[in-house]
Amino acid sequence: MVGASAAFAAYRMLGLQEGYWSVFTVLIVMQGSIGGTLTAATDRLLGTLIGAVLGGLGAALQRTAVLEVGLVLVIVTGLAAFVAAVRPRLRVAPVTAAIMLLSAPPGAPVQDFVRDRIIEIGIGGVIGVLAAMFVFPARSHGLVIARTATVLSHIARMLGEQARALETGSALPSSPEHAALRQALATVEAAMKDADRERATRLADHQIPASVPRTLWRIRNDLVLIGRALDEVLPPAAIAALATPAAAMLDAHASLAKRCAAALAAGTVVDRADATPCYRRFGAALDAFRKSTQAATLDFEASGRVFGLAFAAGRLHRDLLDLASRADEIAPGKVLTSRSA
């Protein structure tokens, strides 16, 4: 509301003929955080520059016949679309080029028309960023934390499903959590980029380690490996020897994932609790099973799944502890320092 009002007042005071583009730009670029708004405003301005130049060149040809205008439109938007395909950040360029070409007033100086569009959109972008900074400012640090917590909730649920499959001695059912987890991970990466942009432009600072998104992806890959080991029922001998300690270990790591999310939100150190003891008990049970006569009777495929589960569990344990260490780095005090003033 504030951004749209400011853009309206600005273009009326400046006497811009089609200054409503300033209002449109404010509404388009304002996102859920300062960093997201800054990214959107920068992308729109760059795309507008390219689209305005291409559209202006097409309008400068002063074609009036329908076929000629259509041909110029195809060529101009094709060039702009190629630029957008090479640089997806500039996806607004074809739209701007088409608007510039089709809305240019007959007989008006093309250079003035192009200049005014760039000024109008530039004003809208600046006002959008300023509104995001000073009206209920939401910095990307908080978004990274919130979206990481969402990822960890998916991880905890998936670990719980895997533990239940082991306890019941059944094959692991297909879970919709995999698709949701991938989408949630993508939002963490996007928020992290916005937070880094805020820091680069000195709008805010954060101490979220850059390795957090990578660690989350590694944990997701660990879950995939565990799922592959459990997509068929393990041999009865392996179930008898390993199901209980393995399920306890997965439940303990699900709890660790939840505690990581809670610690990130509260700015406290992560409580490791029983994750390592449960993992060691699973390792001891695995060593005992490996030395038993039952293990020698397993065929190649069954052995691969049993020891694949052990390998994936070891990676999961290391990666979750690594994530807990990254969370501990954020814990002391308030890490967000605003520089907007």
Side-chain angles (χ1 to χ4, degrees), residues 14-33:
L14 293 174
L16 298 172
Q17 294 300 313
E18 297 184 9
Y20 50 79
W21 283 109
S22 298
V23 179
F24 292 167
T25 299
V26 169
L27 300 177
I28 290 170
V29 304
M30 289 195 70
Q31 306 294 313
S33 67

Side-chain angles (χ1 to χ4, degrees), residues 27-72:
L27 300 177
I28 290 170
V29 304
M30 289 195 70
Q31 306 294 313
S33 67
I34 297 174
T37 300
L38 181 62
T39 299
T42 303
D43 292 350
R44 180 164 173 78
L45 182 58
L46 291 175
T48 296
L49 286 171
I50 294 174
V53 170
L54 292 174
L57 290 175
L61 297 177
Q62 299 291 333
R63 301 299 181 183
T64 57
V66 174
L67 184 60
E68 292 175 339
V69 173
L71 181 61
V72 172

Side-chain angles (χ1 to χ4, degrees), residues 23-287:
V23 179
F24 292 167
T25 299
V26 169
L27 300 177
I28 290 170
V29 304
M30 289 195 70
Q31 306 294 313
S33 67
I34 297 174
T37 300
L38 181 62
T39 299
T42 303
D43 292 350
R44 180 164 173 78
L45 182 58
L46 291 175
T48 296
L49 286 171
I50 294 174
V53 170
L54 292 174
L57 290 175
L61 297 177
Q62 299 291 333
R63 301 299 181 183
T64 57
V66 174
L67 184 60
E68 292 175 339
V69 173
L71 181 61
V72 172
L73 175 66
V74 169
I75 294 173
V76 167
T77 54
L79 290 172
F82 175 76
V83 171
V86 176
R87 293 287 185 273
R89 292 180 55 189
L90 307 178
R91 57 185 176 275
V92 74
V95 179
T96 303
I99 292 174
M100 293 289 297
L101 180 60
L102 297 176
S103 64
V110 174
Q111 63 272 18
D112 293 345
F113 185 62
V114 172
R115 181 200 62 204
D116 288 348
R117 295 301 79 72
I118 294 173
I119 291 174
E120 290 156 4
I121 291 175
I123 290 173
V126 171
I127 290 175
V129 172
L130 291 175
M133 287 174 57
F134 295 111
V135 183
F136 302 122
R139 291 173 174 80
S140 297
H141 169 90
L143 281 181
V144 175
I145 299 300
R147 292 176 181 179
T148 298
T150 299
V151 168
L152 289 169
S153 69
H154 288 297
I155 289 171
R157 284 195 293 271
M158 293 174 69
L159 286 168
E161 292 173 358
Q162 293 169 348
R164 301 294 79 75
L166 280 166
E167 287 178 342
T168 59
S170 58
L172 181 68
S174 177
S175 173
E177 293 287 348
H178 282 286
L181 178 57
R182 288 195 300 271
Q183 294 174 358
L185 283 165
T187 65
V188 171
E189 291 182 322
M192 192 71 188
K193 290 178 181 178
D194 290 341
D196 289 340
R197 184 179 289 271
E198 287 179 9
R199 180 165 58 185
T201 54
R202 299 183 181 276
L203 294 178
D205 199 0
H206 71 86
Q207 294 180 1
I208 301 174
S211 59
V212 166
R214 295 195 298 270
T215 304
L216 292 172
W217 273 108
R218 290 202 306 271
I219 295 171
R220 181 258 172 189
N221 294 337
D222 300 337
L223 294 176
V224 171
L225 292 176
I226 295 173
R228 288 175 180 171
L230 300 179
D231 61 2
E232 295 181 20
V233 180
L234 293 177
I239 290 289
L242 302 175
T244 298
M249 180 267 300
L250 293 175
D251 281 333
H253 285 79
S255 296
L256 177 58
K258 294 176 182 177
R259 289 194 297 273
C260 284
L264 284 168
T268 58
V269 174
V270 178
D271 177 14
R272 271 68 168 177
D274 59 348
T276 297
C278 285
Y279 175 68
R280 288 175 177 169
R281 285 193 288 271
F282 169 69
L286 179 68
D287 286 340

